[in-house]
Amino acid sequence: MSSTEKGEMRDGVELSNFCPRFHRAIELVGRRWTGAIIRILLSGPKRFNEIAASVPGLSDRLLTERLRELECQGVLRRTVDTGSPIRVAYELTEAGTELDATIRALSSWAERWVEIPPETAERGA
Amino acid sequence: MSSTEKGEMRDGVELSNFCPRFHRAIELVGRRWTGAIIRILLSGPKRFNEIAASVPGLSDRLLTERLRELECQGVLRRTVDTGSPIRVAYELTEAGTELDATIRALSSWAERWVEIPPETAERGA
């Protein structure tokens, strides 16, 4: 009885109680465009223009803002290659890379459950 | 070469290309409070007041709105037990239940990477 009062335990994660850490995490990755940016960076470091070109509808201003937030939160880092020309890239930190399991789980869920209008599907293909 | 052009494949999920389905999914579960509501419902059906009591800071108005959105998206259903008194509960559909893997992955990530101020941690304990 006391275990159900405190919430159901399974796989070491207790779900039925509100968890401030989870709440922060979902608010971080759930911000508009943030999930798409992390998802693209999981395939490797990218330059600003590569990310911008990969996410239709994302403005440069918002991309800059999101990249700064993610850098602040320790999810990605900005690297500067001081060759000529100077090249700035964005890559996931260890924390960012470990979002892999979450992003893949949600990608699989979306494949199975999210329907999109045909014209959007064609653009995405 | 052509496989990297199309994006990195692993575990059957291609990540480097923008995916409209994933984008919709993260916008759905990432809306303010939605993740917390789904997380609580993963432990079983709950009545409105139980959900409201479980999520500190969530107003009745916003909870109503989020429950309607999730019902509309096929993630949860409203069940009415016509006994006396009538009892309304909210439970996850098959689609909602399958968000389990995503919510658990992000919960584990949050345990490992999200720091919260001590006073919030005590409230959540």
Side-chain angles (χ1 to χ4, degrees):
Chain A
M1 272 291 177
S2 65
S3 77
T4 55
E5 271 165 35
K6 290 289 288 176
E8 185 188 304
M9 283 287 284
R10 217 173 73 197
D11 306 336
V13 180
E14 187 178 299
L15 292 179
S16 67
N17 289 348
F18 181 76
C19 169
R21 284 172 201 257
F22 171 81
H23 193 59
R24 286 216 177 177
I26 190 108
E27 295 220 318
L28 170 66
V29 303
R31 289 206 75 178
R32 193 155 168 81
W33 305 115
T34 296
I37 295 166
I38 294 172
R39 193 171 185 275
I40 283 162
L41 289 176
L42 279 170
S43 67
K46 297 277 177 296
R47 297 170 64 194
F48 186 95
N49 288 341
E50 289 177 299
I51 306 170
S54 300
V55 186
L58 171 57
S59 69
D60 285 0
R61 188 185 59 78
L62 267 181
L63 176 53
T64 305
E65 203 175 283
R66 289 298 177 266
L67 289 171
R68 281 199 193 131
E69 280 167 13
L70 290 170
E71 194 180 354
C72 237
Q73 301 281 340
V75 170
L76 62 77
R77 69 170 73 86
R78 195 167 166 276
T79 61
V80 182
D81 178 353
T82 53
S84 172
I86 289 173
R87 281 172 184 265
V88 176
Y90 297 87
E91 68 180 357
L92 296 177
T93 58
E94 191 189 350
T97 305
E98 286 191 13
L99 282 168
D100 186 86
T102 302
I103 302 290
R104 281 179 194 279
L106 189 58
S107 294
S108 300
W109 185 85
E111 279 299 318
R112 185 158 150 74
W113 293 105
V114 177
E115 284 180 33
I116 43 172
E119 69 275 18
T120 318
E122 277 157 27
R123 271 203 301 130
Chain B
M1 270 294 179
S2 65
S3 77
T4 55
E5 270 165 36
K6 289 288 288 177
E8 184 189 305
M9 283 286 285
R10 220 173 70 194
D11 307 336
V13 180
E14 188 176 299
L15 293 179
S16 66
N17 290 346
F18 180 75
C19 169
R21 284 173 201 257
F22 171 81
H23 194 59
R24 285 217 178 178
I26 190 110
E27 294 220 319
L28 171 64
V29 303
R31 288 206 75 178
R32 193 156 167 81
W33 304 116
T34 295
I37 295 166
I38 295 172
R39 193 170 185 275
I40 283 163
L41 289 176
L42 279 170
S43 65
K46 297 275 179 295
R47 298 170 65 194
F48 187 94
N49 289 341
E50 289 177 300
I51 306 171
S54 300
V55 186
L58 171 58
S59 69
D60 285 0
R61 187 184 61 75
L62 267 179
L63 176 53
T64 304
E65 201 176 284
R66 289 297 176 269
L67 289 171
R68 281 201 192 129
E69 280 167 15
L70 290 171
E71 194 179 353
C72 237
Q73 300 281 341
V75 169
L76 62 78
R77 70 171 72 85
R78 195 168 166 278
T79 61
V80 182
D81 178 353
T82 54
S84 171
I86 290 171
R87 281 171 185 266
V88 177
Y90 298 87
E91 67 180 359
L92 297 176
T93 59
E94 191 189 349
T97 305
E98 286 191 15
L99 281 167
D100 186 86
T102 302
I103 302 290
R104 281 178 195 279
L106 189 58
S107 294
S108 300
W109 185 86
E111 280 297 318
R112 186 158 148 74
W113 293 105
V114 177
E115 284 181 33
I116 43 171
E119 68 277 18
T120 319
E122 279 157 26
R123 271 202 303 128

